[in-house]
Amino acid sequence: MVHQKKKVVEEVSGWLRIHDDGSVDRTWTGPPEVKFMAEPVPPHEEFKEGVAVRDVTVDEKSGLKVRIYLPQLEPDYTDNNHNKLPIIVHFHGGGFCVTQADWYMYYHIYSRLARSASAIVVSVYLRLAPEHRLPAAMDDGFSALVWLRSLGRGHGSYEPWLHDYGDFNRVFLVGDSSGGNVVHQVAARAGLVDLSPVRLAGGIPIHPGFVRSVRSKSEMEQPESPFLTLDMVDSFLKLALPEGCTKDHPFTRPGGLAAPPLDGLNLPPFLLCVAESDLMRDTQMEYCEAMKEASKDLELLISPGVGHSFYLNKIAVDMDPHTAAQTTALIDGIIEFIKKH
């Protein structure tokens, strides 16, 4: 029997290939020197550089998993509500099509955030398109929040790190790039239900993947980066959005005419993080203005002289003093926001 070689019918610049039989290959084929950032980091329940990491299955039926980062506690830590740690629920980026919660690019920054903010980070393994088109990622993000509610109410399985150290009254959502879109959608859903004892204290979209059908000025003028090209934006969203939908869909344009009116949403305070040289800067700022017009509590943190998801690029963080300084400023801004709420 002759086996025909699978043909690539669609490819997204180094990140993803779709074959004629419908299978998807996400083997990294870009520059080999950056491949380490796309490598999975195994969990380690012993503390390394002040953080321990474990993977937990949230739902046996669906297979939904989360990665939990626990910072090392001070020797004088006492288990009382005053000392409980805020919980940061993290949604990874990747245009809804690539990357995983255990990749080194997230490990290096979210272990640092857990340590610096003295917070527990719960990073959700979101399902990926095209196998799982939207709203799959939003559903997974919301399911993780419902799981936290069940833990807080003493239902389901016992999760010692969250039970012993987590403050369910101070839960924050944070998302990189397309994960920022998930932050908005999950926060909007959360505003419709009783999550007690969980209190959603804030949402932090970092360089969210907000776009529209008509190219913005920044899309046409800002330089492309390894983490974001126009081809990636168009190709990933074509694979991720519901069939037949345009970039004006509420998932990618939450402040647009097709989206539920923002003034009708019950949202927590938001910290919108924008990179000055991001291709999507203009559409992120349109979202900012729409939120303010809807009288939503929104702070803006702008990182000058850097591009989309700059803080995830470990090479630039290590080699370029400006990227390193802006990464520190971003983390400090997030910590300040968390302390206020």
Side-chain angles (χ1 to χ4, degrees):
M1 182 177 176
V2 177
H3 291 280
Q4 287 187 322
K5 189 177 180 182
K6 291 192 288 189
K7 291 181 181 175
V8 174
V9 294
E10 194 154 358
E11 183 166 10
V12 185
S13 55
W15 291 95
L16 172 150
R17 285 148 303 287
I18 301 174
H19 296 107
D20 53 2
D21 65 353
S23 61
V24 182
D25 178 11
R26 293 184 173 85
T27 307
W28 174 250
T29 59
E33 62 271 18
V34 302
K35 186 175 185 293
F36 75 96
M37 289 191 280
E39 298 282 0
V41 176
H44 50 86
E45 298 204 12
E46 73 282 7
F47 288 99
K48 292 182 180 178
E49 296 183 343
V51 178
V53 177
R54 71 193 303 174
D55 287 341
V56 175
T57 299
V58 168
D59 186 330
E60 294 287 352
K61 189 176 178 183
S62 70
L64 180 64
K65 292 194 311 177
V66 298
R67 166 156 289 200
I68 306 176
Y69 296 81
L70 177 70
Q72 194 160 14
L73 303 166
E74 297 298 328
D76 60 352
Y77 177 87
T78 54
D79 183 10
N80 63 58
N81 285 332
H82 297 297
N83 281 334
K84 295 276 189 179
L85 308 180
I87 299 169
I88 301 171
V89 180
H90 167 245
F91 308 127
H92 63 76
F96 307 110
C97 293
V98 294
T99 84
Q100 290 284 358
D102 60 0
W103 279 22
Y104 182 76
M105 68 166 67
Y106 301 117
Y107 175 85
H108 92 85
I109 202 72
Y110 284 97
S111 58
R112 177 176 170 181
L113 180 61
R115 185 171 58 246
S116 302
S118 293
I120 299 173
V121 175
V122 178
S123 186
V124 186
Y125 286 84
L126 302 172
R127 282 174 294 169
L128 302 176
E131 302 96 323
H132 305 282
R133 285 181 177 264
L134 298 175
M138 283 68 172
D139 292 344
D140 290 345
F142 187 67
S143 293
L145 208 52
V146 171
W147 174 70
L148 279 183
R149 177 181 69 182
S150 71
L151 292 180
R153 292 179 178 179
H155 302 158
S157 58
Y158 174 69
E159 175 38 58
W161 288 2
L162 288 162
H163 179 271
D164 294 347
Y165 307 115
D167 184 353
F168 290 91
N169 193 49
R170 295 180 67 217
V171 174
F172 297 83
L173 307 179
V174 63
D176 322 286
S177 191
S178 56
N181 302 46
V182 180
V183 167
H184 177 90
Q185 297 297 329
V186 171
R189 284 195 207 181
L192 298 172
V193 298
D194 175 17
L195 285 173
S196 61
V198 167
R199 180 180 71 93
L200 197 54
I204 309 169
I206 308 175
H207 314 164
F210 296 154
V211 290
R212 47 179 161 86
S213 293
V214 178
R215 290 261 194 245
S216 68
K217 191 179 177 197
S218 61
E219 281 182 301
M220 294 186 287
E221 293 182 355
Q222 290 298 327
E224 296 184 327
S225 77
F227 284 110
L228 192 69
T229 66
L230 291 177
D231 173 64
M232 286 168 60
V233 172
D234 294 344
S235 299
F236 283 152
L237 293 183
K238 180 181 155 194
L239 296 170
L241 284 167
E243 295 271 10
C245 293
T246 72
K247 288 189 281 189
D248 291 324
H249 191 282
F251 292 156
T252 41
R253 197 180 182 190
L257 293 175
L262 293 173
D263 57 8
L265 301 182
N266 177 20
L267 297 173
F270 265 51
L271 173 67
L272 174 64
C273 304
V274 175
E276 183 184 37
S277 302
D278 194 334
L279 291 177
M280 295 183 284
R281 181 195 65 202
D282 288 354
T283 35
Q284 292 161 1
M285 293 305 296
E286 288 171 6
Y287 171 79
C288 176
E289 292 308 312
M291 287 280 279
K292 288 183 176 178
E293 285 174 17
S295 300
K296 297 303 175 188
D297 182 346
L298 182 140
E299 294 178 44
L300 182 63
L301 191 162
I302 297 179
S303 302
V306 283
H308 189 78
S309 296
F310 66 90
Y311 58 97
L312 297 179
N313 186 343
K314 185 65 162 62
I315 297 172
V317 171
D318 286 347
M319 304 293 288
D320 175 49
H322 181 70
T323 301
Q326 290 306 314
T327 299
T328 298
L330 176 66
I331 289 173
D332 289 347
I334 291 170
I335 292 170
E336 184 183 343
F337 178 80
I338 289 171
K339 283 181 177 174
K340 283 194 293 194
H341 299 283

